[in-house]
Amino acid sequence: MNKQAHNIGPIGVFDSGYGGLTILDAIRKKLPQYNFLYLGDNARAPYGSRSFNIVYRFTLEAVKYLFSQGCNLVILACNTASAKALRNIQQNDLPNIDPTKRVLGVIRPTVEKIGEISRSGNIGILGTTGTIQSKSYDIEIEKIHPKFNVFSQSCPLWVPLVENQEANGEGADFFVQKYINQLLNQSADIDSIILGCTHYPILLDKIRKYTPSHINIVEQGAIIADSLADYLNRHPEMNIRCSKNGICSYLTTEDEDKFNSLASIFLNEKIDSKHIDL
Ligand code: DGL
């Protein structure tokens, strides 16, 4: 066995808060044998309205922390971090930190998949202010599906609703309907809406309620899980560096009990997280 094969660790999954749990859940269903280490920077969420430099700095801190815990591969299960930090980390930081480690995002795999889902090529994107302003979806869609039309709407109050445990409250209805109407008012031809923020599936029931039934609502969980499985198949040198005992651990920068109670509801199992400071 070569030296690198001994250097194994969990796959890191990072989000600003609870949203990445929607990705983790799908990944674990697809790849149950792998070990995962989830990190939610709940104390500093939401990231969505923060500047480019702050999102980059916070994301880099989280990635470095996950590396220090033995992760060789980290998934940014956060569109805002994927939009604002991924490229910098891949191109400028990884070569200095450890060129054998990898960080992957969620935007590119989602854009690759949308070609199979949309019939008309008229795509709606819902995301945080940061993701929408970065135009990351527009840029990626233009590269892969140049004939598609993209309509975008930021939803600045959706992440705070989730992080503050109001996703199922009556107040959420108003803001869910508001942003969906603002998106659909841009075009009557949208046939698919990408939930371009990993928190949004937590609002799915309400999103469905206010979206006409002929429109596809595209969640990222299964897409990212398929894409990760494909990546590990294509990269055996990384696959052998991922530990496989079916164990999943959780870190949060907020209060452990607070994280445990909400994460347990989302994942439908008992969660025992550990507090860390970044
Ligand atoms: N889950 C993050 C995303 O996918 C939410 C960002 C935030 O914290 O505002 O964009």
Side-chain angles (χ1 to χ4, degrees):
M1 215 185 267
N2 69 26
K3 205 174 160 200
Q4 252 186 18
H6 292 286
N7 172 20
I8 67 169
I11 297 174
V13 179
F14 167 68
D15 182 45
S16 60
Y18 297 107
L21 296 174
T22 63
I23 302 291
L24 178 71
D25 193 33
I27 293 177
R28 281 176 71 202
K29 285 190 175 118
K30 176 96 186 174
L31 300 166
Q33 69 276 32
Y34 286 80
N35 292 3
F36 297 98
L37 179 58
Y38 184 86
L39 169 53
D41 190 9
N42 302 78
R44 302 190 292 192
Y47 281 14
S49 47
R50 293 190 187 273
S51 67
F52 183 97
N53 279 339
I54 295 290
V55 173
Y56 165 60
R57 180 158 66 79
F58 287 180
T59 305
L60 183 59
E61 285 169 4
V63 166
K64 282 183 173 167
Y65 190 89
L66 288 167
F67 285 168
S68 77
Q69 300 305 298
C71 299
N72 296 308
L73 174 63
V74 171
I75 311 298
L76 300 186
C78 175
N79 289 266
T80 311
S82 299
K84 293 189 163 189
L86 179 64
R87 180 169 306 204
N88 245 345
I89 291 176
Q90 284 176 331
Q91 294 181 353
N92 302 328
D93 297 302
L94 276 186
N96 298 320
I97 299 171
D98 181 343
T100 71
K101 295 195 188 262
R102 290 288 175 269
V103 180
L104 305 175
V106 290
I107 294 178
R108 179 81 184 205
T110 307
V111 168
E112 283 170 359
K113 187 74 186 177
I114 196 68
E116 294 168 28
I117 296 171
S118 174
R119 295 171 306 274
S120 70
N122 294 303
I123 312 293
I125 314 284
L126 296 172
T128 64
T129 305
T131 299
I132 298 303
Q133 281 180 352
S134 76
K135 298 214 170 286
S136 297
Y137 273 98
D138 310 57
I139 294 165
E140 288 300 325
I141 289 176
E142 172 67 26
K143 276 190 220 156
I144 302 179
H145 313 292
K147 296 208 166 101
F148 280 19
N149 301 309
V150 180
F151 304 91
S152 304
Q153 178 62 47
S154 59
C155 313
L157 285 164
W158 286 8
V159 172
L161 284 168
V162 172
E163 289 290 316
N164 291 292
Q165 314 200 12
E166 287 290 342
N168 297 317
E170 285 169 27
D173 282 80
F174 176 82
F175 287 106
V176 169
Q177 186 175 25
K178 175 178 172 167
Y179 298 140
I180 288 175
N181 285 348
Q182 285 179 351
L183 176 68
L184 297 179
N185 284 343
Q186 297 178 42
S187 166
D189 299 325
I190 291 171
D191 77 359
S192 304
I193 296 178
I194 295 175
L195 301 186
C197 171
T198 57
H199 280 69
Y200 296 175
I202 295 166
L203 291 160
L204 190 61
D205 288 347
K206 292 193 193 292
I207 293 171
R208 278 199 213 287
K209 186 170 154 190
Y210 296 108
T211 304
S213 57
H214 70 277
I215 296 180
N216 302 309
I217 296 171
V218 182
E219 292 179 72
Q220 296 178 295
I223 296 173
I224 304 309
D226 287 348
S227 154
L228 176 59
D230 179 54
Y231 177 87
L232 292 168
N233 268 335
R234 287 185 291 108
H235 294 275
E237 78 289 352
M238 179 56 79
N239 196 14
I240 56 164
R241 296 172 72 201
C242 298
S243 46
K244 301 176 187 73
N245 313 94
I247 295 168
C248 191
S249 312
Y250 299 86
L251 305 171
T252 177
T253 54
E254 245 285 2
D255 177 68
E256 291 167 0
D257 292 338
K258 195 173 160 191
F259 183 89
N260 294 346
S261 65
L262 201 55
S264 303
I265 296 171
F266 293 154
L267 296 175
N268 204 18
E269 66 181 66
K270 193 173 174 297
I271 302 299
D272 190 12
S273 66
K274 185 172 157 251
H275 169 86
I276 58 144
D277 289 313
L278 286 175

